[in-house]
Amino acid sequence: MSLSSQPIGIFDSGVGGLTVAHALTQLLPNEQIIYFGDVAHHPYGEKSSAAIQSYAVKICEMLLRQEVKLILIACNSASAVAHDLVREYVGSRAKVIDVINPMIEHLRENFNHQKIGLIATRATVNSGIYHQKIDTLGLGIQLTSLAAPLLVPIIEEGNINHDDFKQILHNYLSHPTLQDIDALLLACTHYPIIKDQISQFYNHKISLIDNSEITAHAVKNLLEYHRLLNPSVLTPQHQFYVSDYTESFVAHARFFFPAALHFEHYPLWD
Amino acid sequence: MSLSSQPIGIFDSGVGGLTVAHALTQLLPNEQIIYFGDVAHHPYGEKSSAAIQSYAVKICEMLLRQEVKLILIACNSASAVAHDLVREYVGSRAKVIDVINPMIEHLRENFNHQKIGLIATRATVNSGIYHQKIDTLGLGIQLTSLAAPLLVPIIEEGNINHDDFKQILHNYLSHPTLQDIDALLLACTHYPIIKDQISQFYNHKISLIDNSEITAHAVKNLLEYHRLLNPSVLTPQHQFYVSDYTESFVAHARFFFPAALHFEHYPLWD
């Protein structure tokens, strides 16, 4: 098997990374995806950095055994605390890309001197990584961020059209931290699922920036640069591995990938 | 060390079991507690039965190495799906008690022919275990149950006096399933933390039954029966182990055990 026809490995703690995987397969329909959902440790957003780092390394070991050509960290919490470690650990065995650096590049190109709000999990906000990287750009982008820890459980619960959910979302978005912003950065891969509801809150008047399509384009550029785009025109068979097999994960995966048939329970530590 | 002076092992996926541990130390101040919080896999309520069972066995291995005289499963989700397995696995090496059977005994003694509502995690409700055990009693207790999956993340978030929380709680308790009940069974060890708010909803007019004190009394009876109560009058030093060390867990543990000093990170699989 030539290098370019090898699969792309994607991981997240659960269903959030499926938004990125979906955008990627829309943009690059010839690429085969091997998706690892670390459902046993979901949600990453409330775990310690050390824990997320150890899970990331074990997942990468597994993906490397599947001979992936690229590993995509499709989770902001894991990107925030484990990207450097994963790059070091994977070395030359595969390319590595996260969801944060492509976003920073996108902000650099499009949002100079604007005021940007950010919502994310506690792990991502506490890491301070978006602030640090944006400050390093030196382009006058003002960033204000808010941890919104109840959004992931509500999205997972599938209750996003319920009034309770709208009220909680409304309260987060009304927070003083997020006032007078030009754009809102959805810094959790779960959030594209509620993009319509967030856009309604703002009467569709501010830009919402999410990781999914931006990361998909960054993956395309990286593969092009290294001549690793899959030349095959056969429909690829994506594979889904989970560290805990739950109906909720399978339902979400089938929502994004209706043809998804291959689910496998793969405990990380057995 | 004599058998009676050995510690009691208690486990849960996180902070919920602390409500039971706290009730136990109030009732039996001479007993030393070794508490295991499986924070790395929190919350159990949304995990598969097989996953919860495998975590329970690994935690019991660890507690048995600490020579506990009794293992208390201080989590309804784990009690629902892993109690039989844990009893079988532990065998004669220690006594085993869960939080469900003491509750059933309490209902048998006090709630014949009453209509009881139950709220719990999805894992506990889906297990059907309370229904099955209550039906077996044949005492005309009518049980209706509702999964309330957002309560645990909200309690963990510490936002229980916020209007959003009150609205969500109100919506759960207003559900048709829970109307015209004589008592409400709080079948998750997190829920005693919001007992006041639940009682307010009912204008303090119905009984709220929670696991913490009922389980503590059952432990006392079991230890008495087997002559295993600790005769020492020295203040015991409780120990807390966590599979992931988070500030949130430590803060909750210090709330229930202000003198708690000994926290140790104990990854289950390293």
Side-chain angles (χ1 to χ4, degrees):
Chain A
M1 191 162 70
S2 79
L3 200 54
S4 60
S5 57
Q6 289 172 207
I8 293 174
I10 302 183
F11 74 92
D12 177 33
S13 65
V15 307
L18 293 167
T19 63
V20 184
H22 180 72
L24 190 62
T25 55
Q26 296 293 105
L27 189 66
L28 300 172
N30 300 343
E31 300 295 336
Q32 187 203 355
I33 303 293
I34 296 184
Y35 188 94
F36 192 97
D38 191 8
V39 178
H41 298 109
H42 173 82
Y44 277 180
E46 307 291 309
K47 301 293 187 291
S48 70
S49 298
I52 297 170
Q53 288 167 340
S54 77
Y55 308 149
V57 166
K58 290 178 185 188
I59 293 166
C60 289
E61 274 174 17
M62 180 272 186
L63 292 173
L64 289 169
R65 280 197 298 274
Q66 307 275 328
E67 301 195 325
V68 296
K69 61 186 172 188
L70 178 143
I71 290 176
L72 163 56
I73 309 174
C75 167
N76 278 271
S77 305
S79 294
V81 303
H83 181 216
D84 291 348
L85 168 64
V86 166
R87 281 177 77 97
E88 190 69 27
Y89 178 79
V90 170
S92 63
R93 292 179 287 175
K95 307 297 171 199
V96 173
I97 195 165
D98 74 339
V99 292
I100 295 178
N101 286 299
M103 176 65 81
I104 299 298
E105 184 59 21
H106 179 77
L107 296 176
R108 191 183 68 72
E109 289 171 0
N110 300 286
F111 289 89
N112 293 353
H113 298 288
Q114 298 205 20
K115 184 172 175 193
I116 296 175
L118 175 152
I119 53 173
T121 64
R122 199 181 302 289
T124 300
V125 170
N126 286 353
S127 76
I129 192 160
Y130 276 97
H131 275 275
Q132 175 199 323
K133 286 181 181 277
I134 283 171
D135 287 351
T136 305
L137 293 179
L139 294 171
I141 297 174
Q142 252 193 78
L143 185 75
T144 56
S145 49
L146 180 72
L150 292 178
L151 295 186
V152 167
I154 289 170
I155 293 167
E156 296 263 335
E157 192 41 33
N159 258 344
I160 60 173
N161 289 313
H162 197 286
D163 286 344
D164 292 352
F165 163 68
K166 287 181 186 159
Q167 189 59 42
I168 289 179
L169 180 64
H170 187 281
N171 289 352
Y172 279 134
L173 300 177
S174 305
H175 194 277
T177 301
L178 299 179
Q179 296 321 295
D180 305 320
I181 52 177
D182 301 307
L184 183 69
L185 204 166
L186 312 182
C188 169
T189 54
H190 274 78
Y191 298 169
I193 297 170
I194 55 169
K195 203 168 175 178
D196 286 347
Q197 287 82 353
I198 295 173
S199 190
Q200 273 169 32
F201 174 86
Y202 291 108
N203 291 319
H204 312 288
K205 282 183 181 152
I206 73 166
S207 309
L208 301 182
I209 325 167
D210 78 68
N211 300 109
S212 59
E213 288 178 23
I214 291 165
T215 304
H217 281 279
V219 169
K220 179 167 185 265
N221 292 341
L222 185 70
L223 292 178
E224 261 172 4
Y225 180 83
H226 292 285
R227 301 178 185 277
L228 286 173
L229 282 172
N230 195 338
S232 160
V233 291
L234 297 175
T235 303
Q237 293 294 313
H238 307 311
Q239 290 178 35
F240 298 86
Y241 293 86
V242 284
S243 54
D244 182 21
Y245 189 97
T246 62
E247 287 170 21
S248 167
F249 182 85
V250 172
H252 276 97
R254 292 235 163 93
F255 173 78
F256 286 107
F257 295 93
L261 290 172
H262 188 93
F263 292 96
E264 200 160 314
H265 184 203
Y266 191 100
L268 279 183
W269 284 264
D270 283 16
Chain B
M1 192 162 71
S2 78
L3 199 56
S4 59
S5 56
Q6 287 172 207
I8 292 173
I10 301 182
F11 75 91
D12 178 35
S13 66
V15 307
L18 294 166
T19 64
V20 185
H22 179 71
L24 190 62
T25 55
Q26 296 294 105
L27 189 66
L28 301 172
N30 301 342
E31 299 295 335
Q32 187 203 354
I33 303 292
I34 296 184
Y35 188 94
F36 192 97
D38 191 9
V39 178
H41 298 110
H42 174 82
Y44 277 180
E46 306 292 308
K47 301 293 187 289
S48 69
S49 298
I52 297 170
Q53 288 167 340
S54 77
Y55 309 148
V57 165
K58 290 177 186 189
I59 293 165
C60 289
E61 273 174 17
M62 179 272 186
L63 292 172
L64 289 170
R65 280 197 297 274
Q66 308 275 327
E67 301 194 328
V68 296
K69 62 185 172 190
L70 179 143
I71 290 176
L72 163 55
I73 309 174
C75 166
N76 278 273
S77 306
S79 294
V81 303
H83 181 216
D84 291 347
L85 168 63
V86 166
R87 282 178 76 97
E88 190 69 27
Y89 178 78
V90 171
S92 62
R93 293 178 287 174
K95 306 297 172 199
V96 172
I97 195 166
D98 74 338
V99 292
I100 295 178
N101 285 300
M103 176 64 83
I104 300 298
E105 184 59 20
H106 179 76
L107 296 176
R108 190 183 68 74
E109 289 170 1
N110 301 285
F111 289 90
N112 293 352
H113 298 288
Q114 299 206 18
K115 185 172 175 194
I116 296 174
L118 176 152
I119 52 173
T121 64
R122 200 181 301 289
T124 300
V125 169
N126 287 353
S127 76
I129 192 161
Y130 276 97
H131 276 275
Q132 174 199 325
K133 285 179 182 277
I134 283 171
D135 286 350
T136 305
L137 293 179
L139 294 171
I141 297 174
Q142 252 194 79
L143 186 75
T144 55
S145 48
L146 180 72
L150 292 177
L151 295 185
V152 167
I154 289 170
I155 293 167
E156 296 263 334
E157 193 41 34
N159 258 345
I160 60 173
N161 289 312
H162 198 288
D163 285 344
D164 292 351
F165 163 67
K166 288 182 186 158
Q167 189 58 45
I168 289 178
L169 180 64
H170 187 283
N171 289 353
Y172 279 134
L173 300 178
S174 305
H175 194 278
T177 300
L178 299 179
Q179 297 322 295
D180 305 319
I181 52 177
D182 301 305
L184 183 68
L185 206 167
L186 312 182
C188 169
T189 54
H190 274 78
Y191 299 169
I193 297 171
I194 55 169
K195 203 168 175 178
D196 287 349
Q197 287 82 353
I198 295 173
S199 190
Q200 274 169 32
F201 173 86
Y202 290 108
N203 291 319
H204 312 288
K205 284 183 182 153
I206 73 164
S207 308
L208 301 182
I209 324 166
D210 77 69
N211 300 108
S212 58
E213 289 179 22
I214 292 166
T215 305
H217 281 279
V219 170
K220 179 166 183 269
N221 292 342
L222 185 69
L223 293 178
E224 262 173 2
Y225 180 82
H226 292 285
R227 301 177 185 278
L228 286 173
L229 283 171
N230 195 337
S232 161
V233 292
L234 296 174
T235 303
Q237 294 293 312
H238 307 311
Q239 291 179 34
F240 298 85
Y241 293 85
V242 283
S243 55
D244 182 22
Y245 190 97
T246 62
E247 288 171 21
S248 166
F249 181 84
V250 172
H252 276 97
R254 291 234 164 93
F255 174 78
F256 286 106
F257 295 93
L261 291 172
H262 188 91
F263 292 96
E264 200 160 314
H265 183 203
Y266 191 100
L268 278 184
W269 284 264
D270 283 18

